[in-house]
Amino acid sequence: MLSCKEATRLTEQKIFEGKLSRVKAWQLSMHLKMCDACKRYSQQSAMVEKAFRERLESTGDETVLHSEVELPGLSPEKKDAILKRLESHL
Amino acid sequence: MRNFTKFFFIKHGQFVVHIEDISSNVETSKTLEDWVKKYSDILFRRAYFLTSNREVAEDIVQETFLAAVKAIEGFSWKSEPKTWLLGILSHKTADYFRQKFRNPEVGADDFFTTTGDWKGEQAPSSDWLSGTENLLDNVDFQKVLHQCLDDLPEIWRGAFLLKFLENKKGPVICQELGITQTNFWQILHRAKLQLRRCIEVYWFK
Ligand SMILES: [Zn+2]
């Protein structure tokens, strides 16, 4: 029987790599059947993953309002500095 | 630096892109200037979300444009400049996180006992009733996401975010970071435990 620490680590490995070896997948599913806390962890960890991925994608969407969540645009000074550096590279 | 003008015409029902090399620095310079004006805010927002550090984010945007100048011949005019630039930005941010991984520290275990059981109140004890589906338009929930990411030590943050930046498998990531897979899983595990806990405390309770 896996410990909760091992079970949650395997949960992360599964989210990260998309799959587990057959033995590990079986051990994890046995643990999750018997342990409410780890079962909840695995559901909530997947939600956390999804929330951050979607939030990250929305930072590339100009139709989303960003000022309200304190994500500023680039300062005009830095824009000028970048343009100057680009010119020197041409 | 070479330059391109594009012509589109339809052949056998498909768009075919014909690129003519007109070798003009003026044109490239103009294109990049337009891109800086048009996309630097978006690039900065993405970089700032990823790093929570204004100076670092500014540098990453600059690095991105400098890399874009060098690579502009490889840019396919069929694709959107924004997507291409965001791709370069992902690699530049991944490079930044990789540099931070020289001596990763995992620290004491706040979540589990020595036998691997959940420590008291760290165990997820309640369901998140609302889920997160409808929350992404909620400004307060977004603030919680930002706050929780801010609270992560930088290396943990890197372990969590690297997979969003580049499509790479665990072993490749570890090799590039120069750490063992065990160490990487430990860091990622801790990062996720803390993120989940943070979101629960600030949002669901
Ligand atoms: Zn458990």
Side-chain angles (χ1 to χ4, degrees):
Chain A
M1 178 79 177
L2 296 174
S3 71
C4 294
K5 187 175 179 177
E6 290 163 328
T8 50
R9 203 195 63 85
L10 282 182
T11 299
E12 291 310 325
Q13 193 172 339
K14 188 178 169 190
I15 290 174
F16 189 89
E17 299 197 313
K19 62 178 169 35
L20 289 175
S21 72
R22 194 171 290 194
V23 176
K24 283 181 175 169
W26 183 80
Q27 288 177 322
L28 179 60
S29 76
M30 291 309 285
H31 184 99
L32 296 186
K33 261 179 206 154
M34 297 162 72
C35 176
D36 284 345
C38 288
K39 191 175 166 199
R40 239 178 242 122
Y41 178 85
S42 109
Q43 291 163 347
Q44 293 170 355
S45 180
M47 286 196 234
V48 169
E49 198 82 8
K50 192 161 164 280
F52 277 103
R53 187 180 287 279
E54 286 175 7
R55 177 66 194 123
L56 178 62
E57 278 164 13
S58 81
T59 59
D61 181 351
E62 50 280 80
T63 65
V64 177
L65 265 182
H66 294 283
S67 55
E68 291 178 75
V69 280
E70 294 149 27
L71 271 187
L74 189 63
S75 66
E77 297 79 32
K78 189 64 187 180
K79 274 181 208 174
D80 286 345
I82 290 176
L83 284 170
K84 288 215 179 74
R85 288 212 52 183
L86 284 176
E87 274 164 30
S88 69
H89 276 72
L90 285 170
Chain B
M1 182 64 56
R2 289 140 69 94
N3 251 285
F4 308 103
T5 358
K6 12 163 207 173
F7 298 95
F8 296 94
F9 45 96
I10 293 168
K11 204 179 192 177
H12 308 303
Q14 278 183 316
F15 270 107
V16 175
V17 181
H18 177 68
I19 294 167
E20 189 190 349
D21 185 348
I22 58 160
S23 298
S24 144
N25 279 351
V26 182
E27 280 284 315
T28 304
S29 164
K30 182 93 180 51
T31 305
L32 282 160
E33 213 181 300
D34 286 347
W35 286 2
V36 172
K37 284 181 185 145
K38 213 168 157 190
Y39 302 116
S40 57
D41 283 341
I42 286 211
L43 294 172
F44 180 71
R45 253 175 233 133
R46 165 99 21 124
Y48 188 73
F49 173 73
L50 290 161
T51 62
S52 294
N53 183 318
R54 181 176 278 274
E55 277 168 38
V56 171
E58 287 183 348
D59 285 347
I60 288 174
V61 174
Q62 178 163 314
E63 289 289 307
T64 300
F65 280 112
L66 291 177
V69 180
K70 285 187 196 139
I72 198 147
E73 290 183 52
F75 176 66
S76 151
W77 293 94
K78 277 180 286 187
S79 53
E80 215 199 329
K82 187 178 91 178
T83 314
W84 187 63
L85 291 168
L86 283 171
I88 298 176
L89 184 127
S90 287
H91 292 301
K92 292 291 166 197
T93 314
D95 284 344
Y96 168 75
F97 282 130
R98 270 192 287 271
Q99 284 169 24
K100 300 277 158 192
F101 267 88
R102 293 304 165 235
N103 294 299
E105 271 178 39
V106 181
D109 201 330
D110 310 322
F111 292 94
F112 299 98
T113 65
T114 45
T115 54
D117 297 319
W118 288 100
K119 261 186 197 171
E121 63 159 16
Q122 298 294 345
S125 56
S126 57
D127 291 322
W128 292 356
L129 293 175
S130 61
T132 57
E133 291 78 26
N134 305 315
L135 289 176
L136 287 157
D137 297 327
N138 184 316
V139 174
D140 292 326
F141 182 67
Q142 288 177 20
K143 281 184 186 162
V144 169
L145 291 185
H146 286 237
Q147 188 54 51
C148 292
L149 208 49
D150 278 359
D151 290 347
L152 284 187
E154 202 156 38
I155 286 172
W156 299 16
R157 183 192 185 104
F160 175 61
L161 290 173
L162 268 174
K163 65 168 169 291
F164 297 137
L165 301 176
E166 297 174 322
N167 195 10
K168 288 176 184 166
K169 295 264 179 253
V172 178
I173 289 180
C174 297
Q175 207 180 7
E176 289 176 345
L177 297 174
I179 63 175
T180 63
Q181 287 204 58
T182 314
N183 207 331
F184 179 75
W185 288 124
Q186 248 180 338
I187 295 167
L188 181 64
H189 189 199
R190 294 295 300 281
K192 276 300 279 292
L193 285 160
Q194 183 160 320
L195 279 177
R196 191 211 68 82
R197 175 87 177 137
C198 179
I199 291 172
E200 179 164 278
V201 168
Y202 288 106
W203 187 258
F204 289 100
K205 278 192 173 157

